[in-house]
Amino acid sequence: QGAVFTSSSLIEDHGPEHVDDKSPKTYWKTSLTQAKSFPVWIQIDFVKPVQIFSYHISRTESIEESPAFFRLVGYTSRAANRKTDLTADNENVGVTLDERVLQGSASLKTIADGGTHYCVYPNHHGQLIKRVRLNIFRVFGQTDENAARRGVSVALSRFFITTHEEEEESLGSCSDRR
């Protein structure tokens, strides 16, 4: 749909555009990130504002590179055009669509307990969103010590947004309803 994918970092041949190419062999991966460099992020800028119905994350083979603590933030057209979101002006601050801590969670068969796919209906339905950013604060098995010593990478096989109920129905329903 003409969306543009960007990220805080990447390694060669594993750019953020790979999360939407429908190929199981390609993925987005960050460079080694130190503990103080988190959060890392991947972002989708839509050509025109969309209503978000659900979002999907699929991990790579390596669960150690999978998000364990993340926040999905949506930005309206006005907020998406700003250089920073560090203002107290509520009209320009992103809307938290979802926040998850998956490590240690046994409530759903998802990334948290060995699954490879995660699907969520976010908190805010119907609001027009121009940009979404997935901020990743921690990966599975990450400690501040191993992130500081050797760094850690984050990788996702898929990250996409559904904008219509029909899209979601064709994919099968999400495990998590709000």
Side-chain angles (χ1 to χ4, degrees):
Q1 297 180 0
V4 176
F5 290 79
T6 56
S7 62
S8 56
S9 74
L10 58 101
I11 62 171
E12 188 174 349
D13 297 326
H14 295 287
E17 67 280 0
H18 292 298
V19 297
D20 192 46
D21 66 6
K22 297 180 178 77
S23 171
K25 296 179 181 180
T26 61
Y27 53 92
W28 165 64
K29 185 172 181 174
T30 66
S31 57
L32 287 177
T33 303
Q34 306 300 319
K36 65 183 179 219
S37 300
F38 276 88
V40 297
W41 52 266
I42 186 166
Q43 178 173 289
I44 306 170
D45 285 288
F46 299 101
V47 173
K48 61 183 180 177
V50 298
Q51 292 180 334
I52 294 177
F53 187 72
S54 66
Y55 74 96
H56 300 252
I57 298 173
S58 296
R59 70 174 176 86
T60 62
E61 293 294 317
S62 172
I63 196 164
E64 291 82 19
E65 296 176 330
S66 299
F69 172 28
F70 58 87
R71 180 179 302 134
L72 184 70
V73 179
Y75 296 89
T76 62
S77 293
R78 185 172 168 192
N81 292 326
R82 291 179 26 78
K83 298 280 188 217
T84 179
D85 57 2
L86 300 175
T87 180
D89 179 358
N90 287 335
E91 291 188 50
N92 286 324
V93 175
V95 175
T96 299
L97 299 172
D98 193 44
E99 181 172 279
R100 298 289 163 148
V101 178
L102 297 180
Q103 196 157 333
S105 169
S107 61
L108 301 169
K109 179 138 183 65
T110 64
I111 292 172
D113 53 8
T116 59
H117 186 76
Y118 190 76
C119 171
V120 172
Y121 299 107
N123 295 331
H124 296 274
H125 294 280
Q127 186 168 1
L128 287 174
I129 301 295
K130 178 74 171 163
R131 168 185 296 157
V132 293
R133 180 180 279 189
L134 183 66
N135 293 305
I136 302 166
F137 299 95
R138 185 171 292 276
V139 293
F140 280 92
Q142 176 186 339
T143 65
D144 288 341
E145 182 180 315
N146 67 12
R149 189 173 333 120
R150 61 175 172 77
V152 293
S153 291
V154 177
L156 288 176
S157 176
R158 301 283 315 274
F159 169 54
F160 66 94
I161 305 293
T162 60
T163 57
H164 301 291
E165 192 166 354
E166 298 81 33
E167 288 179 288
E168 183 57 41
E169 288 173 359
S170 72
L171 295 167
S173 66
C174 288
S175 303
D176 186 23
R177 290 191 178 270
R178 293 208 173 236

